[in-house]
Amino acid sequence: RACRMIWPLPVFFLGNAVTSLGGTKAVTIPTFSALRKFSILFTMFLELRVLGKTPSFGVQSSIAIMILGSFVAAVKDLNFDMLGYTFVMANNVFTAGNYVVAKQKADTASLGATGTLFYCALVSLPGSFLLACPDFKKVYEYPHWSDRGFWI
């Protein structure tokens, strides 16, 4: 019953995790930061469409200035990598979707905000485990587990 109440939140949660890791691997950090500002814009659009919440002109202006400022800061580092840009923009969509759907579900479900996030994490656990399986062998075979410097 709780799974149906929070659906599709786990999809946005897992999509956010996968695309953020792919994005940070494919583009530089300044480019990633500049492109991630679009998640705020996407969230504003989704809030308007899904929740019917219209931001004030001041909020809209602030978001536009923030996006412009991030590009000014990263202009010399914008290296085009289609796969990287695709990951980061998908990450923006998943982030906005995660935020708006979590807000919608927390407001409408009897679980509340904490319960919604708890069940989202619980339902996402098997998917997270499957995504991490290929790396378990690498973790187990890591040569420096017994080094004191590694643990400190």
Side-chain angles (χ1 to χ4, degrees), residues 62-78:
S62 297
I63 292 171
I65 291 168
M66 191 176 358
I67 290 171
L68 181 65
S70 69
F71 277 106
V72 168
V75 74
K76 295 215 181 219
D77 198 45
L78 290 176

Side-chain angles (χ1 to χ4, degrees), residues 3-133:
C3 291
R4 275 185 259 131
M5 291 174 75
I6 62 166
W7 195 258
L9 197 54
V11 174
F12 286 115
F13 180 79
L14 288 173
N16 193 12
V18 170
T19 56
S20 67
L21 293 173
T24 55
K25 185 177 180 182
V27 298
T28 63
I29 296 300
T31 302
F32 183 79
S33 296
L35 293 174
R36 284 290 289 149
K37 300 298 183 213
F38 279 97
S39 68
I40 301 165
L41 181 66
F42 293 169
T43 301
M44 183 176 68
F45 287 138
L46 271 179
E47 281 183 335
L48 179 64
R49 299 278 298 165
V50 176
L51 303 176
K53 183 179 173 186
T54 306
S56 68
F57 177 75
V59 170
Q60 293 176 23
S61 301
S62 297
I63 292 171
I65 291 168
M66 191 176 358
I67 290 171
L68 181 65
S70 69
F71 277 106
V72 168
V75 74
K76 295 215 181 219
D77 198 45
L78 290 176
N79 302 319
F80 186 76
D81 177 2
M82 186 60 167
L83 181 64
Y85 276 51
T86 303
F87 268 117
V88 178
M89 288 309 205
N91 185 231
N92 291 335
V93 171
F94 283 119
T95 298
N98 190 44
Y99 173 76
V100 171
V101 171
K103 189 170 185 172
Q104 180 188 41
K105 298 296 181 180
D107 290 345
T108 59
S110 60
L111 301 171
T114 306
T116 300
L117 294 176
F118 171 77
Y119 282 108
C120 175
L122 192 64
V123 170
S124 300
L125 201 56
S128 300
F129 182 76
L130 288 174
L131 290 171
C133 276

